């Protein structure tokens, strides 16, 4: 019995003294198949992460390269659309003024007919 307690006490002391890294290394040495599977999984995940970062960086750089042209095209369409709307509004106002001028001329002609003896307006 004394031997069993000393082995148990040695295990407790060894567990208390070992760092987490040493414990992981010892576990890996005792479970080599799991260690290989975990190592392969970590390599695959690392490769996926690096490719994801690379693809994200490539898309970001492509977007930054295109953004000045997109901004210029957007500004050009906004200014031309604004001028077009403004020109259309001016044309509408001029058309209304012309119709009002024609109506005024018609009304003046009728007034002249109604008052032939009065002096001209």
């Amino acid at each position: 019995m004394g031997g069993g307690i000393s082995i148990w006490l040695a295990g407790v002391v060894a567990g208390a003294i070992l760092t987490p890294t040493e414990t992981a290394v010892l576990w890996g040495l005792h479970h080599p198949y799991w260690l290989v599977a975990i190592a392969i999984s970590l390599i695959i995940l690392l490769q996926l992460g690096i490719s994801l970062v690379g693809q994200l960086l490539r898309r970001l750089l492509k977007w930054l390269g295109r953004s000045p042209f997109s901004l210029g095209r957007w500004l050009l369409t906004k200014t031309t659309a604004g001028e077009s709307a403004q020109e259309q509004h001016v044309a509408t106002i001029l058309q209304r003024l012309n119709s009002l001028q024609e109506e005024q001329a018609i009304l003046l002609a009728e007034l002249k007919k109604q008052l032939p003896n009065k002096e001209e307006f």
Side-chain angles (χ1 to χ4, degrees), residues 43-93:
I43 290 171
I44 290 171
L45 286 175
L46 184 65
Q47 183 179 5
L48 286 174
I50 290 172
S51 71
L52 182 65
V53 168
Q55 190 175 28
L56 182 66
L57 185 62
R58 189 176 326 128
R59 285 185 182 182
L60 178 68
L61 289 175
K62 193 182 290 186
W63 179 79
L64 285 175
R66 290 181 183 170
S67 63
F69 298 114
S70 300
L71 178 64
R73 185 174 33 244
W74 179 77
L75 288 174
L76 184 63
T77 56
K78 286 296 182 184
T79 55
T80 55
E83 289 175 2
S84 175
Q86 187 178 11
E87 289 174 3
Q88 186 178 11
H89 187 63
V90 168
T92 305
I93 291 173

Side-chain angles (χ1 to χ4, degrees), residues 92-121:
T92 305
I93 291 173
L94 287 175
Q95 183 180 6
R96 288 177 57 198
L97 283 174
N98 284 336
S99 66
L100 288 174
Q101 186 179 16
E102 291 172 2
E103 186 179 353
Q104 181 185 8
I106 292 170
L107 289 174
L108 276 174
E110 285 183 24
L111 184 62
K112 286 179 186 177
K113 288 179 186 177
Q114 295 288 332
L115 303 170
N117 297 335
K118 302 289 181 183
E119 55 186 75
E120 285 208 29
F121 295 95

Side-chain angles (χ1 to χ4, degrees), residues 21-34:
T21 306
E22 292 170 338
T23 306
V25 168
L26 285 176
W27 182 88
L29 289 175
H30 290 293
H31 302 88
Y33 296 122
W34 281 105

